[in-house]
Amino acid sequence: MTIRNWFKFFLNAMWIGGLITGVLGSIILWDKNFASYYAAGQWGAVIAAFIVLVGFGLIISVIAQMGFFAYLTIHQMGVNIFKSLTLWNWVQLLIIAFVIFDLIVFRFKPSEGTTSQIWLHIVALVLLIGASIIVAIIKANKTKKQILISALFFMIAITTIEWVAALKVQSSDADVWLLIVLVPLLAVNAYQLLALPKYNAKSDEDRKKLEARRKARKEAAALKTK
């Protein structure tokens, strides 16, 4: 990918994370952080709180992008180590199963949660798996069927690794932040996974155009010397 296309890719992912976090966070935290400011007509405070959420979303986007490029490296290493995409896919499925098991048993700890917490965790888990399956199917249909498992691995396993920091937060409203962090992570990761081929193709086109211009300049220079 060329620097110019990578920069576009980076900025688009940033704004997706920032805006989704700002909007979703404003809705979820309305009663706690926004309602009193709104009722008092303190629009500056409302805007400031929204900007803080957008800034938090930008950080989430950066984390998601770091995870994506780390995954690209891991995927290539996995294929090279196991010498077969089929075998690597089975390993990825095993890791996906372990990640989901770890989420349910150790991260969510259903035996220790209240009813509302358990339902929130169920919603988060369904959202994670459901969105991942949809994105993986779209990715496979747009590229190759063999990429389905790898896309599913990225959307579930890598997103969970990026998400796990939020799962460790210990506060009265920690559960609320689970969704505020998860949704932009899923959105940014889905964008990266689905948009990357377009930017790679655009980069190839840019390289061809650049090479054509260089060739034309060389031919023009050669004609002048004759």
Side-chain angles (χ1 to χ4, degrees):
M1 188 185 297
T2 61
I3 295 298
R4 185 177 67 174
N5 285 300
W6 173 82
F7 192 64
K8 291 179 181 178
F9 182 77
F10 173 80
L11 285 181
N12 287 337
M14 289 284 285
W15 284 115
I16 288 172
L19 290 177
I20 289 178
T21 305
V23 173
L24 180 65
S26 299
I27 294 171
I28 294 178
L29 299 173
W30 179 262
D31 290 337
K32 182 174 182 180
N33 290 359
F34 289 85
S36 59
Y37 297 143
Y38 178 79
Q42 297 175 340
W43 294 105
V46 172
I47 294 173
F50 179 77
I51 291 174
V52 169
L53 285 171
V54 170
F56 181 64
L58 297 180
I59 296 173
I60 292 174
S61 177
V62 171
I63 293 172
Q65 293 187 64
M66 291 172 61
F68 181 60
F69 286 103
Y71 162 74
L72 295 177
T73 302
I74 292 171
H75 176 70
Q76 191 58 50
M77 289 177 59
V79 173
N80 292 337
I81 291 172
F82 294 100
K83 307 297 183 182
S84 166
L85 180 59
T86 301
L87 182 57
W88 172 231
N89 281 342
W90 279 108
V91 173
Q92 290 181 101
L93 282 173
L94 182 63
I95 295 173
I96 290 170
F98 175 79
V99 166
I100 294 174
F101 175 80
D102 178 74
L103 269 178
I104 295 173
V105 176
F106 298 108
R107 304 296 176 181
F108 291 161
K109 297 178 181 178
S111 60
E112 300 178 8
T114 63
T115 301
S116 60
Q117 286 176 322
I118 291 173
W119 276 110
L120 181 61
H121 293 164
I122 291 173
V123 169
L125 188 62
V126 170
L127 180 62
L128 172 65
I129 297 175
S132 298
I133 291 173
I134 292 171
V135 172
I137 291 173
I138 294 173
K139 177 67 174 180
N141 289 335
K142 290 179 64 175
T143 53
K144 298 181 292 185
K145 301 298 182 183
Q146 297 91 329
I147 206 71
L148 177 66
I149 302 302
S150 296
L152 197 61
F153 174 82
F154 170 68
M155 290 299 299
I156 292 180
I158 302 301
T159 299
T160 300
I161 292 172
E162 298 162 351
W163 186 39
V164 76
L167 298 176
K168 293 181 178 180
V169 174
Q170 300 295 326
S171 67
S172 58
D173 58 350
D175 287 332
V176 172
W177 285 94
L178 292 183
L179 291 180
I180 296 177
V181 174
L182 176 61
V183 173
L185 276 177
L186 286 171
V188 173
N189 283 339
Y191 167 77
Q192 293 182 108
L193 195 63
L194 298 177
L196 183 64
K198 182 186 75 172
Y199 285 96
N200 284 337
K202 186 67 171 63
S203 297
D204 290 339
E205 291 176 7
D206 291 345
R207 291 191 189 96
K208 290 178 181 178
K209 290 178 181 178
L210 180 60
E211 186 62 31
R213 286 196 294 266
R214 287 175 178 173
K215 185 177 180 181
R217 284 196 295 265
K218 287 181 179 179
E219 291 176 349
L223 290 172
K224 288 181 180 180
T225 57
K226 290 182 179 179

